[in-house]
Amino acid sequence: DAKTTQPPSMDCAEGRAANLPCNHSTISGNEYVYWYRQIHSQGPQYIIHGLKNNETNEMASLIITEDRKSSTLILPHATLRDTAVYYCIVRAADNFNKFYFGSGTKLNVKP
Amino acid sequence: NAGVTQTPKFRILKIGQSMTLQCAQDMNHNYMYWYRQDPGMGLKLIYYSVGAGITDKGEVPNGYNVSRSTTEDFPLRLELAAPSQTSVYFCASTKLIGTEAFFGQGTRLTVV
């Protein structure tokens, strides 16, 4: 499975867009990019995933570069409740054994 | 739907004791997983199951055992607890292999 690299922490002002980057330069053609977040000590929460097209849902948007070597999770209007650790995970859809979480990015949303 | 339910929420064990962490899901998901999360770290996969009667090792299986006798339940057994097993344990399930995972709220285990 491809490894991912994320900054350890980021700050964002409340109401502004939060853009969280993820590098996955060794990603394979059949591997998806997944994003989860973990608020305080709760169980991780699914946000979004994609293969090569950009994706949007009610929580966020996922932008994947054309070469698929990096992606950005966008929270369009961050709130204080979005303060969490955000995990970028790359794995093949049929390879659940390799559903590895790295250290993630701690997003601090500030008033 | 209750989703994924883990019990207990907290537990203190003495070295050498054994215990079972319970995990149940009511979403009829075939795939279930156990993770551990050490302080300040990401999650590590312990065991997973693709359906009743089928389990396999993940990244860090040593010191643990699992069973899957029903679709709903996926208990994790700790034999001879060690301080290195002090961690937060999360159970998760997915309906299909590539779909979103639903996580329980975790079991915080301390081995002293």
Side-chain angles (χ1 to χ4, degrees):
Chain A
D1 269 352
K3 300 293 184 184
T4 62
T5 303
Q6 298 178 254
S9 65
M10 293 181 62
D11 291 336
C12 177
E14 189 178 19
R16 304 296 295 268
N19 298 282
L20 290 88
C22 180
N23 286 321
H24 31 79
S25 58
T26 58
I27 191 170
S28 300
N30 66 339
E31 289 180 320
Y32 286 73
V33 180
Y34 292 81
W35 283 86
Y36 282 76
R37 73 180 182 183
Q38 188 173 25
I39 296 174
H40 195 43
S41 299
Q42 299 176 19
Q45 176 190 23
Y46 167 84
I47 301 173
I48 198 167
H49 76 283
L51 183 63
K52 51 186 173 182
N53 296 324
N54 297 338
E55 302 287 344
T56 296
N57 63 20
E58 65 278 3
M59 288 182 68
S61 295
L62 174 60
I63 308 298
I64 303 174
T65 58
E66 192 169 345
D67 62 8
R68 303 206 326 120
K69 293 185 177 182
S70 65
S71 60
T72 301
L73 177 75
I74 301 172
L75 306 178
H77 305 288
T79 70
L80 297 178
R81 289 184 294 180
D82 292 322
T83 292
V85 177
Y86 287 77
Y87 295 99
C88 169
I89 301 159
V90 172
R91 51 158 270 199
D94 61 350
N95 195 348
F96 43 81
N97 187 23
K98 303 294 186 180
F99 205 176
Y100 294 142
F101 287 69
S103 297
T105 296
K106 175 63 187 301
L107 176 67
N108 297 300
V109 180
K110 300 185 175 182
Chain B
N1 284 352
V4 178
T5 303
Q6 290 183 238
T7 56
K9 288 186 170 54
F10 304 94
R11 183 71 184 268
I12 298 174
L13 277 183
K14 293 184 178 179
I15 295 172
Q17 287 185 320
S18 301
M19 77 163 293
T20 299
L21 282 67
Q22 302 292 344
C23 175
Q25 53 90 10
D26 61 358
M27 298 173 283
N28 199 32
H29 286 177
N30 286 327
Y31 306 96
M32 297 187 73
Y33 315 80
W34 273 106
Y35 291 88
R36 61 175 285 174
Q37 184 175 33
D38 298 331
M41 307 294 287
L43 283 73
K44 293 186 177 180
L45 183 64
I46 305 172
Y47 271 94
Y48 66 95
S49 169
V50 303
I54 306 171
T55 63
D56 208 344
K57 297 177 181 178
E59 186 183 8
V60 289
N62 291 344
Y64 307 94
N65 279 299
V66 293
S67 59
R68 185 94 181 271
S69 57
T70 67
T71 299
E72 294 78 19
D73 301 300
F74 189 40
L76 177 72
R77 178 81 176 165
L78 277 73
E79 304 282 3
L80 299 174
S84 61
Q85 293 177 305
T86 293
S87 190
V88 180
Y89 292 83
F90 290 103
C91 178
S93 72
T94 60
K95 183 174 180 59
L96 301 173
I97 295 174
T99 55
E100 66 177 286
F102 292 83
F103 284 81
Q105 289 305 299
T107 294
R108 188 175 297 275
L109 175 69
T110 302
V111 181
V112 296

